[in-house]
Amino acid sequence: MPPRTAVFFHAHPDDEALLTAGTMAMLAAEGHRVVLVVATAGERGLADLEPGEQLGKQRLKELYESAAVLGCARVECLGYGDSGLSPTGGVAAERPGNAFIDADTEEAAGRLAAILREEEAGLLTIYDPAGGYGHPDHVQVHRVGRRAAELAGTPVVLEATVNRDPLVRALRLAGRFYRFPPDFDPRVFESAYTPGAEITHRVNVRRYARQKRASMAAHASQAAGGDGERTLAVMLRIPGPLYRLVFGTEWFVRRDLPPGTRLRHPFDAFPS
Ligand SMILES: [Zn+2]
């Protein structure tokens, strides 16, 4: 396989760790050029530090650490403001003037497209149309990313996602034995991410579990502190062998392929 360039577009530092770290480490190990682009510095993330410039700087530092572990050749931040999340999970009413969610799609896509052209990228990863669990910045990654690939003529676009089916099954099962907290609605997951039938790529990343875990660990400001359990903190406590099982697969959708397509590598069925 000839070496190619893959650009991974994410909303905030740490999104790459959860969704695509294994695939990034795999492509880098295979000799491809891996570029990581984030839209924001995640300066409204969950941390002990006050939201703002200081947290943004800390999170970018963590992003570089994660990128180094994964073998990235280049890291860019588009510099938009983290739009944040309202307590009910929607668009936050109070947000910075340059919030990513308020950015003009054409303008933001133009900036990403410039990087795609410069890199002669063969592949761009974005998010599914739902933005995974629905963070407004993640929905915006889908919109901006899709348009950027059009502008730059990037041949392959993959939506990084999670197979919703086992998630929904596990939550239904858990619901029979466990009373969810009142502010947690498991039905939200019935429309989050992507149903298994739409997923075209199942990438086995078990061999890169160590790098994926190290990438998560690099985002220390999100893994500790704050006033409750953080997703990252919980995940980092999963013992190694179990971790490889749970995080052994990364899922993608390529919309130009017929549903039911089952590929194993991001560059499989690469248009010639
Ligand atoms: Zn995010």
Side-chain angles (χ1 to χ4, degrees):
M1 195 188 294
R4 296 194 173 102
T5 298
V7 175
F8 289 79
F9 184 37
H10 285 285
H12 315 105
D14 89 358
D15 288 323
E16 87 290 0
L18 288 163
L19 279 170
T20 62
T23 305
M24 294 167 81
M26 179 185 83
L27 292 181
E30 290 171 356
H32 300 289
R33 181 172 165 87
V34 175
V35 175
L36 173 57
V37 180
V38 289
T40 82
E43 70 277 5
R44 295 184 68 180
L46 309 157
D48 278 340
L49 293 171
E50 281 299 300
E53 201 184 336
Q54 199 198 352
L55 178 57
K57 275 191 190 141
Q58 173 67 22
R59 293 198 68 184
L60 283 180
K61 214 182 110 216
E62 294 170 351
L63 183 72
Y64 290 125
E65 243 176 80
S66 156
V69 166
L70 299 177
C72 293
R74 178 181 175 187
V75 183
E76 291 289 339
C77 177
L78 297 185
Y80 290 102
D82 182 348
S83 308
L85 204 58
S86 82
T88 54
V91 178
E94 252 177 72
R95 46 187 194 270
N98 65 340
F100 185 45
I101 185 70
D102 299 319
D104 178 63
T105 307
E106 284 301 307
E107 190 263 350
R111 291 167 64 179
L112 179 59
I115 297 171
L116 294 173
R117 283 194 202 97
E118 208 176 292
E119 291 287 347
E120 296 178 47
L123 168 76
L124 172 69
T125 75
I126 60 173
Y127 299 146
D128 56 67
Y133 59 91
H135 190 299
D137 282 339
H138 288 225
V139 179
Q140 183 76 321
V141 160
H142 174 82
R143 275 195 295 262
V144 167
R146 194 150 283 291
R147 180 65 183 138
E150 264 171 33
L151 292 172
T154 307
V156 173
V157 177
L158 294 183
E159 297 174 4
T161 189
V162 171
N163 184 349
R164 175 204 297 172
D165 303 345
L167 200 66
V168 169
R169 268 200 303 273
L171 283 167
R172 279 193 196 139
L173 191 68
R176 286 203 237 146
F177 305 101
Y178 178 75
R179 210 188 169 100
F180 293 113
D183 57 344
F184 178 84
D185 181 3
R187 282 170 308 178
V188 167
F189 289 92
E190 316 236 336
S191 56
Y193 298 104
T194 307
E198 287 179 26
I199 288 169
T200 55
H201 292 65
R202 291 162 169 81
V203 182
N204 180 339
V205 295
R206 275 183 211 186
R207 284 180 63 192
Y208 302 94
R210 190 183 57 77
Q211 287 92 328
K212 183 161 178 160
R213 202 183 176 96
S215 161
M216 286 189 183
H219 294 284
S221 71
Q222 301 303 291
D227 51 4
E229 289 287 356
R230 301 286 172 242
T231 318
L232 272 175
V234 172
M235 286 177 179
L236 283 168
R237 282 205 300 273
I238 297 175
L242 185 62
Y243 181 93
R244 275 190 289 282
L245 200 69
V246 177
F247 291 99
T249 306
E250 287 175 354
W251 298 274
F252 299 92
V253 184
R254 210 175 113 186
R255 298 281 171 191
D256 60 320
L257 295 176
T261 303
R262 287 179 85 95
L263 301 173
R264 299 187 164 279
H265 192 282
F267 288 131
D268 280 352
F270 193 83
S272 47

Short mmCIF file of all heavy atoms in Angstrom, two decimals, residues 11-12 14-15 127 133 135 138, ligand 1:
data_model
loop_
_atom_site.label_atom_id
_atom_site.label_comp_id
_atom_site.label_asym_id
_atom_site.label_seq_id
_atom_site.Cartn_x
_atom_site.Cartn_y
_atom_site.Cartn_z
N ALA A 11 -13.42 17.93 17.31
CA ALA A 11 -13.95 19.17 17.86
C ALA A 11 -13.07 19.71 18.98
O ALA A 11 -12.71 20.89 18.99
CB ALA A 11 -15.38 18.94 18.38
N HIS A 12 -12.72 18.84 19.93
CA HIS A 12 -11.99 19.26 21.13
C HIS A 12 -10.83 18.30 21.38
O HIS A 12 -10.91 17.13 21.01
CB HIS A 12 -12.91 19.20 22.36
CG HIS A 12 -14.27 19.79 22.14
ND1 HIS A 12 -15.40 19.01 21.98
CD2 HIS A 12 -14.66 21.07 22.03
CE1 HIS A 12 -16.45 19.81 21.80
NE2 HIS A 12 -16.03 21.06 21.81
N ASP A 14 -9.07 15.59 23.22
CA ASP A 14 -9.50 14.34 23.87
C ASP A 14 -10.53 13.57 23.04
O ASP A 14 -10.71 12.38 23.25
CB ASP A 14 -9.96 14.50 25.34
CG ASP A 14 -11.46 14.82 25.55
OD1 ASP A 14 -12.19 14.98 24.57
OD2 ASP A 14 -11.84 14.92 26.72
N ASP A 15 -11.20 14.22 22.08
CA ASP A 15 -12.12 13.48 21.21
C ASP A 15 -11.35 12.45 20.38
O ASP A 15 -11.86 11.37 20.08
CB ASP A 15 -12.86 14.44 20.26
CG ASP A 15 -13.90 15.28 20.99
OD1 ASP A 15 -14.54 14.75 21.92
OD2 ASP A 15 -14.06 16.47 20.64
N TYR A 127 -17.34 13.43 11.89
CA TYR A 127 -18.27 12.69 12.75
C TYR A 127 -19.54 12.35 11.99
O TYR A 127 -19.81 12.91 10.92
CB TYR A 127 -18.64 13.51 13.99
CG TYR A 127 -17.48 13.87 14.89
CD1 TYR A 127 -17.45 15.07 15.57
CD2 TYR A 127 -16.41 13.00 15.06
CE1 TYR A 127 -16.40 15.41 16.41
CE2 TYR A 127 -15.35 13.33 15.89
CZ TYR A 127 -15.34 14.53 16.56
OH TYR A 127 -14.30 14.86 17.37
N TYR A 133 -22.99 11.89 20.39
CA TYR A 133 -24.02 12.03 21.42
C TYR A 133 -24.68 13.40 21.33
O TYR A 133 -25.48 13.77 22.18
CB TYR A 133 -23.41 11.80 22.81
CG TYR A 133 -22.28 12.75 23.16
CD1 TYR A 133 -22.56 13.96 23.82
CD2 TYR A 133 -20.98 12.47 22.84
CE1 TYR A 133 -21.55 14.85 24.12
CE2 TYR A 133 -19.96 13.35 23.14
CZ TYR A 133 -20.25 14.53 23.78
OH TYR A 133 -19.23 15.41 24.08
N HIS A 135 -23.25 16.74 20.91
CA HIS A 135 -22.61 18.01 21.26
C HIS A 135 -22.64 18.91 20.02
O HIS A 135 -22.26 18.48 18.94
CB HIS A 135 -21.17 17.75 21.71
CG HIS A 135 -20.50 18.96 22.32
ND1 HIS A 135 -20.32 20.13 21.63
CD2 HIS A 135 -19.99 19.17 23.55
CE1 HIS A 135 -19.72 21.01 22.41
NE2 HIS A 135 -19.51 20.45 23.59
N HIS A 138 -19.74 18.96 17.81
CA HIS A 138 -19.51 17.72 17.07
C HIS A 138 -20.38 17.67 15.82
O HIS A 138 -19.96 17.19 14.78
CB HIS A 138 -19.78 16.51 17.97
CG HIS A 138 -18.73 16.30 19.02
ND1 HIS A 138 -18.19 15.07 19.31
CD2 HIS A 138 -18.11 17.19 19.83
CE1 HIS A 138 -17.29 15.21 20.28
NE2 HIS A 138 -17.22 16.49 20.62
ZN ZN B 1 -15.72 16.95 22.00
#
